[in-house]
């Protein structure tokens, strides 16, 4: 009867967002907190990912994009976003999610129009990639919760992180 | 379908966040109570939500004990991939659910090392149980106790109104 576990994560995430909306005065602050928490999760999740998938080192950003979409998203969220909209320089791309598991049954209340509900995901991706020496910028370009047809995550490669620099804890 | 690990990581981060937030605001004793109740309340909402998502094949229960068994077998397997290892009751409304390898405690080394930290990681699950039971028609008070990680006991006391 109960779909194994998919609801648990979604419901828990929803409870978290609800709590943060209570704790913080404005949506931007909630987005920031979600992103920060996502980052903290990402820096640990990468180890779990590397241990369980058999992917080796990615040679370029295109390979990274494929691994994120086809292996990581599939493993953790059971979906495979498509990779599109590459910048000419090859340093920026979009992940298009037809469906976003985090937002099942979620509706944004009227007074939270600036809330980027799935901000946790941006932080997770950023934190995970930082652990493999890539500094990236991640943001939502489209969001079905805010009326768009699809959910689009835009990822931009900033720079390679030198391995001997200590990584700050947020 | 979200992976187990995702929930476990999220749960850990939520606990860390709640305690970090409170530490910047209140004094120690008040901090401890508020954090636990915040986590418990979150778990409560999730527990209710899990039962709500049930399809129409929601079974009907004859007695409280049937509900408790459902919780220990079906619900626990769905959430934590295993059943409760031991259910005891005094047949007067108190139930003790024992999980010998509780999923949210396995990240800690076994034994007594992090015993003090354990309650933080059980609050959400206590709420989860209370929320699920509430939507199944039973009001309760749920507490947890750990003496040896990763084994723990949840005590459920049914409130008769």
């Amino acid at each position: 009867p109960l779909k194994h576990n998919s609801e648990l994560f979604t419901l828990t995430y929803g409870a978290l967002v609800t709590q943060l909306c209570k704790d913080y005065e404005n949506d931007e602050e909630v987005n920031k907190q979600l992103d920060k928490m996502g980052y903290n999760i990402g820096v640990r999740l990468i180890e779990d990912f590397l241990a369980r998938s058999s992917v080796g080192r990615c040679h370029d950003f295109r390979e990274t994009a494929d691994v994120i979409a086809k292996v990581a998203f599939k493993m953790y969220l059971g979906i495979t976003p498509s990779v599109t909209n590459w910048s000419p320089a090859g340093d920026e791309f979009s992940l298009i999610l037809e469906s976003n598991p985090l937002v099942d049954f979620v509706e944004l209340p009227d007074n939270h129009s600036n809330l980027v509900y799935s901000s946790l995901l941006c932080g997770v991706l950023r934190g995970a990639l930082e652990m493999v020496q890539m500094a990236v910028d991640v943001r939502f370009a489209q969001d079905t919760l805010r009326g768009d047809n699809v959910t689009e995550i835009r990822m931009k490669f900033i720079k390679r992180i030198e391995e001997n620099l200590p990584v700050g804890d947020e | 379908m979200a992976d187990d690990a995702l929930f476990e990581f999220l749960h850990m981060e939520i606990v860390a966040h709640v305690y970090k937030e409170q530490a910047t605001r209140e004094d120690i004793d008040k901090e401890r109570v508020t954090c636990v109740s915040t986590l418990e309340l979150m778990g409560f909402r999730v527990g209710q939500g899990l039962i709500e998502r049930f399809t129409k094949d929601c079974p009907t229960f004859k007695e409280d004990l049937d509900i408790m068994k459902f919780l220990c077998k079906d619900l626990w397997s769905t959430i934590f991939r295993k059943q409760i290892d031991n259910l005891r009751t005094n047949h007067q409304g108190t139930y003790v659910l024992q999980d010998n390898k509780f999923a949210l405690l396995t990240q800690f080394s076994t034994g007594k090392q992090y015993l003090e930290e354990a309650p933080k990681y059980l609050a959400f699950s206590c709420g989860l149980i209370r929320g699920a039971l509430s939507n199944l028609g039973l009001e309760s008070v749920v507490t947890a106790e750990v003496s040896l990680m990763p084994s723990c006991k949840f005590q459920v006391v049914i409130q008769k109104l």
Side-chain angles (χ1 to χ4, degrees):
Chain A
L2 290 173
K3 257 196 302 177
H4 179 66
N5 258 348
S6 60
E7 319 284 6
L8 181 62
F9 177 74
T10 309
L11 287 169
T12 303
Y13 187 71
L16 170 64
V17 177
T18 302
Q19 185 63 41
L20 291 178
C21 287
K22 261 196 243 161
D23 291 341
Y24 297 101
E25 284 169 4
N26 60 61
D27 291 345
E28 277 79 23
E29 195 49 47
V30 175
N31 295 340
K32 237 174 67 176
Q33 284 303 317
L34 286 170
D35 182 273
K36 203 155 99 158
M37 291 177 72
Y39 176 87
N40 292 339
I41 291 174
V43 302
R44 290 192 204 103
L45 196 74
I46 185 71
E47 274 177 43
D48 181 80
F49 175 70
L50 292 173
R52 288 164 57 189
S53 67
S54 45
V55 295
R57 179 174 285 267
C58 290
H59 294 101
D60 57 31
F61 204 43
R62 279 185 187 267
E63 232 185 289
T64 305
D66 279 345
V67 169
I68 291 172
K70 297 181 186 149
V71 189
F73 265 86
K74 182 100 181 103
M75 183 185 290
Y76 290 110
L77 291 174
I79 57 168
T80 309
S82 46
V83 178
T84 62
N85 290 355
W86 278 99
S87 63
D91 64 346
E92 201 172 347
F93 67 91
S94 292
L95 289 167
I96 308 284
L97 284 66
E98 296 293 331
S99 69
N100 179 355
L102 267 62
V103 308
D104 284 346
F105 303 103
V106 171
E107 267 175 37
L108 282 185
D110 289 333
N111 54 343
H112 287 287
S113 51
N114 287 323
L115 183 65
V116 181
Y117 185 84
S118 308
S119 289
L120 192 99
L121 281 185
C122 299
V124 173
L125 287 165
R126 207 176 76 249
L129 287 174
E130 194 173 301
M131 291 295 107
V132 289
Q133 271 65 55
M134 271 183 268
V136 295
D137 180 71
V138 188
R139 62 181 181 87
F140 277 89
Q142 292 190 76
D143 189 351
T144 51
L145 274 187
R146 296 166 80 181
D148 300 310
N149 287 335
V150 291
T151 297
E152 180 185 353
I153 298 176
R154 192 93 185 124
M155 292 190 65
K156 185 180 168 74
F157 179 81
I158 309 288
K159 62 175 183 180
R160 189 147 281 275
I161 302 172
E162 295 303 326
E163 294 203 32
N164 53 6
L165 277 181
V167 177
D169 194 7
E170 286 192 24
Chain B
M1 187 177 92
D3 187 85
D4 292 352
L6 261 190
F7 169 70
E8 282 159 32
F9 279 108
L10 181 62
H11 174 260
M12 256 202 302
E13 185 53 32
I14 290 175
V15 173
H17 170 84
V18 167
Y19 276 84
K20 221 185 310 181
E21 278 306 301
Q22 285 300 118
T24 63
R25 299 180 196 186
E26 324 264 342
D27 64 281
I28 299 293
D29 279 331
K30 199 160 174 217
E31 159 208 320
R32 214 185 336 244
V33 169
T34 319
C35 291
V36 164
S37 47
T38 301
L39 290 165
E40 205 270 354
L41 194 57
M42 284 179 70
F44 180 80
R45 281 198 216 98
V46 173
Q48 285 188 309
L50 279 170
I51 298 298
E52 266 165 36
R53 304 292 184 91
F54 235 140
T55 61
K56 37 265 149 69
D57 355 301
C58 189
T60 46
F61 300 104
K62 271 192 285 183
E63 323 177 327
D64 292 358
L65 184 58
D66 295 323
I67 296 178
M68 295 308 297
K69 284 185 186 167
F70 170 78
L71 172 70
C72 294
K73 294 206 325 232
D74 299 74
L75 199 59
W76 215 255
S77 317
T78 300
I79 304 171
F80 299 116
R81 284 192 177 272
K82 64 183 284 292
Q83 298 184 6
I84 283 285
D85 295 300
N86 192 300
L87 171 67
R88 297 210 312 272
T89 177
N90 63 359
H91 295 286
Q92 284 173 36
T94 298
Y95 299 86
V96 177
L97 288 63
Q98 184 166 330
D99 190 325
N100 292 328
K101 204 174 167 201
F102 187 51
L104 299 179
L105 291 179
T106 51
Q107 76 217 230
F108 297 107
S109 53
T110 56
K112 297 187 177 276
Q113 218 177 341
Y114 293 99
L115 227 42
E116 262 175 50
E117 300 290 299
K120 296 180 182 179
Y121 295 92
L122 296 172
F124 183 90
S125 301
C126 287
L128 200 87
I129 294 172
R130 191 168 68 87
L133 288 176
S134 173
N135 268 31
L136 288 167
L138 290 179
E139 295 306 314
S140 59
V141 173
V142 183
T143 51
E145 162 197 316
V146 184
S147 45
L148 199 69
M149 310 258 235
S151 163
C152 71
K153 290 188 188 152
F154 293 93
Q155 178 171 279
V156 178
V157 180
I158 305 298
Q159 310 291 295
K160 285 297 179 200
L161 301 161

